[in-house]
Amino acid sequence: METIRVIIIDEQPLFREGIRATLERMGDCVIIGESTDAADVFEIARTGSPDVALIDAGLTSSDPLEIARQTRHLAPRMAIIILTPSEDEERLFQSIKVGAAAYYSRNITPDELIDAVRKVSHGEYLINDDVLSKPQLASRVLKSFRELTVEEDDGNTKDLYSPLSTREVEILDYIARGNSNKEIAKSLKISDQTVKNHITSILKKLSVNDRTAAVVHALRHGWIKINDN
């Protein structure tokens, strides 16, 4: 049984203790660090080979989203779970941008937390499909994709080789336009499970943790293109 290595980044000692006790109950989970100091967290991310980071969105001593962004840069295969004190679409949007794999209220139950940690440690993306089907949020995510593509385009020739199948590129294109799994399945006349299987394959081939990263990767390599309507 492989051990799941976790970093806890939370300011409240009692809540932090509760997270630790909950995860240690799993039997295959080890807490490799607890801190709210950015420098400490980055050192743990760089040297500790973490699988999952639990980050309190309400941190006051450091910027939680900046911590999320930099730790993912230091440990690209690490999954991030954002725990938020309140449901907030702006915070959710920013969490999607930094590549969080899951976003939960701090009212999450111990069993839900255990399930989330186990799933994201295996590469699952738990931010609900309904999020990207919200018109305003989907529009903002697409705009963010475009800006990232422009910022990172240094004028080099795009990589014309894609490891993805024609169908997988087609599905990424639908995702980039804000379609949910159900909408993609309906448009392509395939089952929801088939869409999920394709997405799992895409993430594995591109070595990314979530659909946002997959779309940005495809945009940067010129495999898909978003045009303003």
Side-chain angles (χ1 to χ4, degrees):
M1 182 167 53
E2 291 187 8
T3 299
I4 302 172
R5 299 168 64 81
V6 177
I7 307 173
I8 301 174
I9 306 161
D10 195 289
E11 286 180 334
Q12 297 183 23
L14 186 60
F15 193 79
R16 195 165 61 240
E17 174 65 29
I19 292 175
R20 187 191 314 117
T22 296
L23 298 186
E24 288 176 345
R25 192 174 99 201
M26 293 170 63
D28 59 348
C29 184
V30 59
I31 309 304
I32 63 170
E34 299 179 31
S35 182
T36 56
D37 179 81
D40 288 346
V41 172
F42 299 152
E43 180 66 16
I44 296 167
R46 191 173 75 253
T47 63
S49 300
D51 299 301
V52 179
L54 289 159
I55 302 178
D56 173 16
L59 287 179
T60 58
S61 59
S62 303
D63 180 346
L65 293 171
E66 182 61 19
I67 285 179
R69 187 184 69 78
Q70 293 202 39
T71 51
R72 285 201 78 234
H73 177 72
L74 293 166
R77 295 186 179 278
M78 179 186 71
I80 291 174
I81 297 176
I82 300 289
L83 297 173
T84 180
S86 61
E87 302 258 340
D88 183 328
E89 189 167 299
E90 174 62 26
R91 186 175 283 147
L92 173 55
F93 170 71
Q94 297 299 332
S95 297
I96 292 171
K97 280 186 66 176
V98 299
Y103 180 92
Y104 289 102
S105 161
R106 286 167 67 88
N107 291 329
I108 185 172
T109 68
D111 286 344
E112 287 171 338
L113 182 62
I114 287 172
D115 185 57
V117 167
R118 202 176 294 287
K119 285 181 176 178
V120 300
S121 73
H122 289 103
E124 293 191 42
Y125 180 73
L126 302 181
I127 290 180
N128 196 300
D129 288 335
D130 291 341
V131 168
L132 290 181
S133 69
K134 294 179 180 178
Q136 290 185 335
L137 185 56
S139 176
R140 292 191 65 194
V141 171
L142 294 183
K143 183 174 184 292
S144 175
F145 288 156
R146 296 188 187 100
E147 290 170 351
L148 282 169
T149 306
V150 170
E151 287 172 6
E152 303 238 346
D153 185 0
D154 59 5
N156 293 333
T157 302
K158 296 295 184 183
D159 180 3
L160 298 180
Y161 168 74
S162 168
L164 305 179
S165 68
T166 301
R167 176 64 91 187
E168 288 168 347
V169 171
E170 188 175 22
I171 285 175
L172 263 187
D173 187 68
Y174 274 99
I175 293 171
R177 297 171 194 281
N179 289 275
S180 68
N181 285 4
K182 288 184 182 298
E183 290 168 333
I184 296 171
K186 183 177 180 181
S187 297
L188 298 179
K189 296 181 172 57
I190 57 179
S191 70
D192 289 2
Q193 186 58 51
T194 299
V195 173
K196 290 178 182 178
N197 292 343
H198 280 304
I199 292 173
T200 298
S201 174
I202 290 167
L203 300 186
K204 184 176 181 180
K205 287 181 178 180
L206 299 185
S207 297
V208 295
N209 293 323
D210 58 70
R211 299 180 304 174
T212 303
V215 169
V216 172
H217 186 95
L219 283 167
R220 289 171 181 165
H221 286 77
W223 303 335
I224 62 174
K225 185 175 182 180
I226 299 175
N227 295 311
D228 289 307
N229 294 324

